[in-house]
Amino acid sequence: MTGPAESSAIARTKIVMIALGVLGLCLVPFFVKGFLIFQLTMLLCMAIAVLGLNIVVGYGGQLSIGHGAIFAIGAYAAAVPMDSFGLPWFVAVPLAAAVCFVFGLLFGWPSLRLKGHHLALATFALALATPQILKHRSVDSWTGGVQGVMVFMPPPPSWLPLGREGFTYAVVLLFFLVSFFAISALFRSRMGRAIVAVKENPIAAASMGVDLTRVKLATFAISCMVTGL
């Protein structure tokens, strides 16, 4: 067993390690250039998607194998308004998260009545159907069909000593850090404890007044929002 002093020392060590890690990530675009910075940016994008998936699978205990479709919906929800309507990226990216949150509510409402492999099959069907829908001729004028949509990296502000690749990395890193710490705060809150309780013992959670359907739906929708981001 550890005493209060040891626990406090461990907590301080964790804070220092997290701070050093964040500082290291922030310094990357000043030392890394070219294709490598692009790869690191894509790595952070995937990390945000994994954070979203972990909400529903890790914390929520619901089996979803269709989050790749949510990833695609978020991408097109940002890219299409930017390409077709000239929407700036700082509006299009939060819009994509909002679209995926609403989609998570609409898809989750009937699907989350299923359990286990039945839910997995429903999300797998979503993953299979999404590419075909995006390539359908009724929407290919917006989605670009099999070729997709071409959008360009945003130009950095004049006061920031970064190129387009470095600025894009910085933006994605900001979204990653906000997502990481927001999710951490969520699972220290009452809602987060309810999500974990539903996973661990739904009968006990229901007897304590937790609305199982509402919590599961919120878990799936929040997960979709982060993945879409």
Side-chain angles (χ1 to χ4, degrees):
M1 297 179 63
T2 58
E6 293 180 358
S7 298
S8 178
I10 293 173
R12 287 195 299 269
T13 302
K14 288 182 178 178
I15 292 173
V16 170
M17 291 178 66
I18 291 173
L20 290 174
V22 171
L23 178 62
L25 290 172
C26 292
L27 293 176
V28 164
F30 296 99
F31 297 98
V32 179
K33 306 294 181 183
F35 184 66
L36 182 56
I37 192 71
F38 171 76
Q39 288 181 308
L40 293 174
T41 303
M42 293 304 299
L43 180 63
L44 286 175
C45 287
M46 296 300 175
I48 297 173
V50 170
L51 287 176
L53 181 62
N54 189 50
I55 293 174
V56 70
V57 177
Y59 288 106
Q62 304 167 33
L63 184 57
S64 172
I65 54 177
H67 261 53
I70 307 299
F71 195 69
I73 292 170
Y76 278 93
V80 171
M82 290 174 65
D83 180 64
S84 301
F85 305 105
L87 202 67
W89 67 267
F90 52 83
V91 178
V93 174
L95 175 64
V99 167
C100 289
F101 180 82
V102 174
F103 180 84
L105 290 176
L106 297 177
F107 182 81
W109 182 257
S111 301
L112 292 178
R113 299 177 185 274
L114 304 173
K115 295 181 181 180
H117 63 277
H118 295 99
L119 175 61
L121 288 174
T123 57
F124 183 59
L126 174 66
L128 290 178
T130 299
Q132 306 307 318
I133 294 173
L134 292 172
K135 291 184 291 186
H136 194 269
R137 63 176 178 271
S138 61
V139 296
D140 66 356
S141 60
W142 285 357
T143 63
V146 296
Q147 295 183 346
V149 180
M150 177 68 72
V151 293
F152 298 95
M153 295 180 182
S158 58
W159 50 266
L160 195 63
L162 293 174
R164 286 178 179 262
E165 295 86 355
F167 178 64
T168 303
Y169 170 89
V171 169
V172 177
L173 175 61
L174 175 63
F175 283 125
F176 169 76
L177 294 176
V178 169
S179 301
F180 180 85
F181 289 110
I183 292 170
S184 179
L186 170 66
F187 285 98
R188 290 196 301 268
S189 69
R190 182 177 180 180
M191 179 64 185
R193 291 192 294 269
I195 292 172
V196 176
V198 170
K199 171 193 173 183
E200 296 295 337
N201 195 324
I203 297 176
S207 68
M208 295 297 291
V210 176
D211 188 328
L212 301 185
T213 301
R214 181 177 297 178
V215 169
K216 287 183 177 181
L217 186 59
T219 304
F220 192 78
I222 295 171
S223 171
C224 289
M225 179 181 68
V226 177
T227 303
L229 178 67

